[in-house]
């Protein structure tokens, strides 16, 4: 493991950057001692000839690219409001946007990106854009066209990160939720996610994506993928919050230089799925007491809890004030160890996103059986 870290460090040192040397050295040490390798720094951006210092740190990914540690999630953001939300987010300082074909709003996100680029406020290179391959496009021959559809809708000529949204393949086609009328369950297709991954690797080779990763994979699936992949996943995106800490899975990722992005990091209180825990997460007495102690909102406490552990967060909001609060006031304080432990102790293996409609699929990651 340490030798692997040194080889990766040597690759990064080709950048001839002292700051990068420091971060990569930290990476090697953290890998050796099985610790999170949250490598972050503030990097000035050149916009219109002026150096503008961003107020959010970046995570140095294993491919040498920087990923902002907070992004704007766009799941369940209505198309009619998401364009303005993304424009507001860019004005605030967000440069990381988490998207997916299944969200049905990538064209509206793309309209906002184009407008802000045309205004000269940002350039494409200032942005970090993630999209995801949906379950009905797992056939290897469909992967490239699915990626190009997201790129076209977003108005970009490459993606910074493309994730396999789920390990399960649904029946191929444009019906995004093929359902059996007798059982109300998703109609699956016999496609191994390893074959899908091989097609995704080609996207990097062809320059359509800078990096690829996965979402909603369990430990066994990550391990199996690592044993097969020519290009290892750079990021795993998972549901992660105090009710679902995912410690073992995150440790596996850290051991293999995979960054972790947390969705539902504020608890997804408005989702129509499961409702774990005795309280909505943002209303839990422990969170409220810690928020009062630090003079922060409960949301800011939850975001800081994740980011100070090296976890990237993508809270969803269409409220400009909430986006501002989430972005600006989580970097100037740190939770004490006892407060972080109190939050960690809320773990009850409580999952909001269970994807029960796909129960029975051989690659379902959360069904109470061992997925392969």
């Amino acid at each position: 493991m340490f030798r692997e870290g040194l080889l990766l460090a040597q690759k990064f040192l080709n950048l001839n950057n002292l700051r990068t040397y420091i971060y990569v050295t930290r990476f090697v040490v953290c890998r050796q001692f099985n610790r999170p390798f949250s490598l972050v720094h503030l990097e000035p951006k050149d916009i219109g000839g002026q150096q503008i210092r961003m107020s959010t740190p970046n995570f140095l990914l294993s491919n040498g690219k920087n990923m902002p540690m907070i992004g704007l999630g766009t799941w369940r953001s209505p198309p009619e409001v998401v364009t303005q939300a993304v424009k507001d987010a860019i004005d605030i300082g967000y440069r990381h946007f988490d998207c997916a074909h299944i969200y049905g709003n990538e064209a509206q996100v793309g309209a906002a990106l184009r407008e802000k680029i045309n205004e000269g406020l940002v350039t494409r290179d200032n942005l970090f854009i993630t999209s995801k391959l949906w379950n009905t496009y797992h056939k290897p021959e469909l992967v490239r066209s699915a990626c190009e559809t997201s790129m076209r809708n977003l108005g970009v000529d490459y993606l910074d990160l493309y994730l396999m949204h789920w390990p399960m393949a649904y029946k191929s086609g444009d019906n995004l939720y093929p359902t059996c009328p007798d059982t109300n369950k998703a109609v699956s297709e016999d496609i191994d996610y390893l074959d899908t991954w091989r097609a995704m690797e080609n996207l990097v080779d062809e320059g359509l994506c800078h990096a690829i990763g996965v979402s909603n994979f369990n430990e066994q699936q990550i391990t199996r993928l690592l044993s097969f992949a020519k290009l290892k996943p750079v990021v795993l995106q998972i549901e992660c919050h105090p009710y679902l800490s995912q410690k073992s899975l995150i440790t596996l990722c850290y051991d293999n230089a995979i960054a972790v992005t947390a969705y539902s990091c504020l608890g997804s209180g408005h989702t129509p799925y499961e409702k774990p825990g005795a309280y909505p997460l943002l209303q839990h007495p422990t969170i409220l007491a810690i928020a009062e102690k630090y003079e922060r909102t409960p949301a800011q406490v939850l975001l800081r809890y994740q980011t100070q552990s090296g976890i990237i967060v993508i809270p969803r909001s269409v409220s400009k004030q909430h986006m501002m609060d989430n972005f600006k006031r989580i970097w100037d304080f740190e939770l004490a160890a006892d407060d972080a432990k109190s939050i960690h102790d809320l773990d009850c293996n409580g999952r909001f996103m269970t994807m029960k409609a796909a129960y029975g699929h051989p690659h379902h990651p959360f069904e109470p059986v061992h997925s392969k």
Side-chain angles (χ1 to χ4, degrees):
M1 184 181 296
F2 187 62
R3 173 178 169 78
E4 182 183 348
L6 287 176
L7 292 173
L8 186 57
Q10 184 180 31
K11 171 187 172 184
F12 285 167
L13 288 177
N14 290 334
L15 298 175
N16 296 318
N17 185 304
L18 179 59
R19 180 183 291 175
T20 302
Y21 172 81
I22 294 170
Y23 296 144
V24 172
T25 301
R26 287 176 58 199
F27 171 86
V28 174
V29 171
C30 290
R31 288 290 306 282
Q32 183 185 20
F33 294 103
N34 191 27
R35 293 177 182 169
F37 55 94
S38 55
L39 312 178
V40 300
H41 66 281
L42 299 177
E43 184 166 319
K45 303 294 184 182
D46 191 337
I47 301 176
Q50 293 183 325
Q51 289 285 305
I52 299 176
R53 184 166 291 276
M54 306 302 295
S55 60
T56 181
N58 293 323
F59 192 106
L60 182 61
L61 299 173
S62 63
N63 68 344
K65 302 291 185 179
N66 283 315
M67 183 175 184
M69 286 200 68
I70 185 166
L72 183 69
T74 60
W75 179 50
R76 295 178 62 82
S77 292
E80 63 271 17
V81 299
V82 75
T83 299
Q84 186 59 50
V86 171
K87 290 193 292 185
D88 289 341
I90 291 174
D91 290 341
I92 290 167
Y94 285 81
R95 298 296 180 262
H96 170 190
F97 296 92
D98 184 79
C99 310
H101 179 71
I102 192 62
Y103 300 167
N105 57 13
E106 286 190 322
Q108 290 76 20
V109 171
L113 300 178
R114 286 191 298 275
E115 184 171 331
K116 289 300 177 180
I117 290 172
N118 290 338
E119 287 178 10
L121 183 62
V122 291
T123 67
R124 173 64 186 93
D125 290 343
N126 299 142
L127 301 172
F128 192 100
I129 309 298
T130 299
S131 187
K132 306 179 190 75
L133 178 75
W134 184 239
N135 306 357
T136 54
Y137 304 112
H138 274 216
K139 275 187 178 178
E141 60 268 30
L142 298 178
V143 168
R144 182 185 175 110
S145 62
C147 179
E148 289 175 331
T149 296
S150 285
M151 290 166 54
R152 184 166 54 252
N153 286 335
L154 290 164
V156 298
D157 55 9
Y158 67 90
L159 293 171
D160 297 276
L161 178 64
Y162 197 47
L163 304 178
M164 193 186 311
H165 208 147
W166 292 85
M168 308 97 69
Y170 290 173
K171 181 181 178 181
S172 298
D174 292 326
N175 177 3
L176 301 182
Y177 284 105
T179 304
C180 175
D182 296 331
T183 64
N184 231 17
K185 297 287 187 181
V187 179
S188 64
E189 193 158 353
D190 185 18
I191 303 169
D192 194 327
Y193 56 82
L194 296 184
D195 296 326
T196 306
W197 182 258
R198 185 67 81 212
M200 291 179 65
E201 290 177 328
N202 293 335
L203 301 177
V204 178
D205 294 338
E206 295 165 7
L208 277 71
C209 307
H210 285 174
I212 52 176
V214 293
S215 179
N216 298 304
F217 274 47
N218 63 30
E219 290 182 54
Q220 186 176 357
Q221 291 164 338
I222 288 288
T223 300
R224 182 171 179 250
L225 178 59
L226 288 170
S227 70
F228 168 84
K230 179 180 67 175
L231 294 178
K232 293 183 178 181
V234 169
V235 171
L236 170 66
Q237 186 176 126
I238 50 172
E239 179 181 342
C240 186
H241 44 75
Y243 287 163
L244 185 69
S245 67
Q246 305 257 43
K247 181 179 179 181
S248 178
L249 177 56
I250 291 170
T251 298
L252 174 65
C253 289
Y254 286 156
D255 283 347
N256 290 280
I258 301 171
V260 176
T261 299
Y263 72 77
S264 297
C265 48
L266 301 181
S268 287
H270 300 294
T271 60
Y273 306 112
E274 306 302 314
K275 304 292 184 184
Y279 303 86
L281 191 53
L282 289 168
Q283 298 173 26
H284 196 286
T286 297
I287 303 300
L288 294 176
I290 293 173
E292 182 177 4
K293 173 181 176 180
Y294 290 91
E295 298 182 338
R296 291 297 193 275
T297 67
Q300 289 163 352
V301 167
L302 293 176
L303 294 173
R304 190 69 187 110
Y305 170 71
Q306 299 285 11
T307 56
Q308 77 179 43
S309 299
I311 296 173
I312 300 157
V313 292
I314 47 170
R316 182 201 70 87
S317 181
V318 295
S319 160
K320 188 170 185 178
Q321 186 59 54
H322 287 166
M323 286 189 285
M324 177 81 76
D325 291 343
N326 292 344
F327 187 81
K328 296 289 187 182
R329 299 200 66 216
I330 66 172
W331 309 115
D332 59 350
F333 78 105
E334 185 167 345
L335 296 169
D338 58 339
D339 293 322
K341 183 179 185 304
S342 294
I343 296 174
H344 178 76
D345 288 345
L346 299 179
D347 189 6
C348 59
N349 197 33
R351 189 181 297 278
F352 290 94
M353 174 57 73
T354 54
M355 206 65 162
K356 286 184 176 178
Y359 273 11
H361 195 292
H363 297 312
H364 195 295
F366 313 141
E367 192 172 356
V369 294
H370 293 293
S371 300
K372 296 181 180 180

